[in-house]
């Protein structure tokens, strides 16, 4: 398997999903379909294929930090981990857009959350949770 090609293809596919999310105020249904489901599912199929086609790795696993380090020293396992991050972070970004839209949250508040979710996933999720709570409080007058 050409790991560089698979890495590039997965990364480009995910980037397309993120760009679609930035256009989500203009095309919400297409954004939901493409970035919220289609691309994460394609990445998930790739992830499953990587797991199925990967040989077992002696000493690698998830039981300790040393085992995880050993596991990710193999290119196929590292690529699978990367695809995992791409799929889940994009799915979370799409969820943020859907949730913000449904709750009347201004999109300009979501943009930094998307950037943070793209770069440092959990930080973006945390930022969205904080901004969402503040937005809801302002809307209901419970600030």
């Amino acid at each position: 398997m050409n790991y560089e090609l698979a890495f590039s293809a997965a990364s480009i596919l995910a980037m397309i999903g993120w760009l679609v999310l930035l256009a989500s105020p203009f095309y919400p249904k297409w954004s939901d379909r493409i970035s919220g489901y289609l691309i994460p599912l394609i990445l998930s199929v790739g992830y499953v294929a990587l797991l199925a086609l990967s040989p077992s790795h002696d000493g690698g696993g998830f039981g300790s930090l040393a085992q995880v380090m050993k596991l990710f020293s193999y290119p196929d396992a590292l690529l699978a981990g990367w695809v995992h991050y791409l799929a889940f972070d994009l799915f979370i970004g799409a969820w943020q857009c859907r949730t913000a839209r449904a709750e009347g949250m201004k999109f300009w508040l979501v943009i930094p959350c998307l950037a943070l979710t793209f770069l440092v996933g959990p930080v973006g999720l945390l930022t969205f949770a904080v901004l969402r709570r503040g937005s809801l409080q302002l809307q209901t007058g419970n600030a």
Side-chain angles (χ1 to χ4, degrees), residues 30-94:
W30 284 106
S31 172
D32 291 348
R33 290 175 184 154
I34 294 169
S35 298
Y37 298 104
L38 181 62
I39 293 176
L41 290 176
I42 291 170
L43 291 169
S44 295
V45 168
Y47 176 76
V48 169
L50 285 166
L51 293 180
L53 298 174
S54 295
S56 63
H57 299 296
D58 191 31
F62 298 103
S64 69
L65 180 58
Q67 287 180 340
V68 172
M69 289 171 57
K70 173 88 172 165
L71 179 64
F72 284 143
S73 70
Y74 299 99
D76 54 332
L78 184 59
L79 180 59
W82 178 245
V83 173
H84 177 280
Y85 281 116
L86 292 175
F88 270 72
D89 285 357
L90 181 58
F91 187 81
I92 294 300

Side-chain angles (χ1 to χ4, degrees), residues 1-10 79:
M1 172 188 287
N2 184 333
Y3 296 119
E4 283 297 326
L5 180 62
F7 173 86
S8 294
L79 180 59

Side-chain angles (χ1 to χ4, degrees), residues 14-15 17-18 21 35-36 39-40 43-44 81-98 113-125:
M15 185 58 69
W18 285 101
L21 284 183
S35 298
I39 293 176
L43 291 169
S44 295
W82 178 245
V83 173
H84 177 280
Y85 281 116
L86 292 175
F88 270 72
D89 285 357
L90 181 58
F91 187 81
I92 294 300
W95 170 81
Q96 291 170 347
C97 288
R98 279 193 311 275
C113 301
L114 292 176
L116 289 169
T117 301
F118 173 73
L119 295 170
V120 284
V123 175
L125 179 59

